[in-house]
Amino acid sequence: MTREEKFMQEAIKLSQSGMNNNEGGPFGCVIVKGDEIIGRGNNKVMCNNDPTAHAEVVAIRDACKNLGSFQLADCEIYTSCEPCPMCLGAIYWARPKLVYYANNSKDAAAIGFDDSMIYEEMKVEICDRKIPIISLSRNEALKIFNEWARKADKNVY
């Protein structure tokens, strides 16, 4: 078994334990730096009543806490399934160097986890989306953005 397969097996084990414990869907994730697992997560949507508690998000939060950093530079993500749109966004924000996945999005759709509608919605003009998304108080909010742009001691990420 390769190093990568060993870490993927850990992600798959997390997917099964979370499912068996009725914490959420059958998804698991580990984050590795060097040869050490620094973050673990399984889907906890049901047990936390949190639609954002997907395995990758849980693992990213765990890894960042353990590293004391908001980014995962030089880290690898091993996830039991191809990331959904939300998790993919979180992964890009965390900036790991590499992502491995086991099951693909079609496998997930076949068991009731179909993300295709979200990908399609992202292509639609904001005014034509299924959930109304309405701009409000932009002028007031822009003042804060302008303050950020001028802020001398900000950390750019």
Side-chain angles (χ1 to χ4, degrees):
M1 181 181 299
T2 68
R3 169 189 176 278
E4 290 80 12
E5 290 169 329
K6 180 183 87 164
F7 290 128
M8 184 58 76
Q9 288 304 311
E10 289 299 314
I12 292 168
K13 285 179 191 173
L14 284 169
S15 74
Q16 185 170 33
S17 68
M19 176 189 69
N20 290 344
N21 293 330
N22 293 317
E23 295 176 337
F27 304 97
C29 181
V30 296
I31 299 177
V32 175
K33 186 164 188 169
D35 284 324
E36 180 185 355
I37 294 176
I38 57 160
R40 289 178 167 79
N42 61 275
N43 185 294
K44 294 183 179 279
V45 168
M46 301 301 291
C47 68
N48 288 355
N49 291 319
D50 180 355
T52 70
H54 289 198
E56 296 91 339
V57 172
V58 172
I60 288 168
R61 290 173 180 164
D62 186 43
C64 288
K65 182 183 77 171
N66 291 332
L67 286 176
S69 173
F70 56 85
Q71 292 188 336
L72 299 175
D74 298 320
C75 293
E76 301 166 359
I77 295 180
Y78 294 80
T79 181
S80 67
C81 188
E82 181 180 353
C84 75
M86 177 186 69
C87 292
L88 188 60
I91 288 167
Y92 273 93
W93 281 115
R95 295 180 174 90
K97 68 178 182 179
L98 184 61
V99 177
Y100 294 97
Y101 68 92
N103 294 316
N104 63 40
S105 61
K106 290 182 174 102
D107 300 326
I111 63 164
F113 295 94
D114 188 354
D115 301 324
S116 61
M117 182 278 291
I118 298 170
Y119 283 109
E120 292 304 314
E121 277 290 280
M122 292 169 64
K123 297 176 194 174
V124 174
E125 290 293 324
I126 200 164
C127 61
D128 294 325
R129 293 188 180 161
K130 292 179 181 176
I131 297 174
I133 300 175
I134 302 163
S135 180
L136 185 65
S137 300
R138 179 171 177 252
N139 289 335
E140 290 300 309
L142 275 174
K143 292 175 187 175
I144 308 307
F145 272 18
N146 290 331
E147 285 182 36
W148 172 261
R150 293 187 305 270
K151 186 173 171 49
D153 63 342
K154 67 184 169 204
N155 287 322
V156 179
Y157 58 96

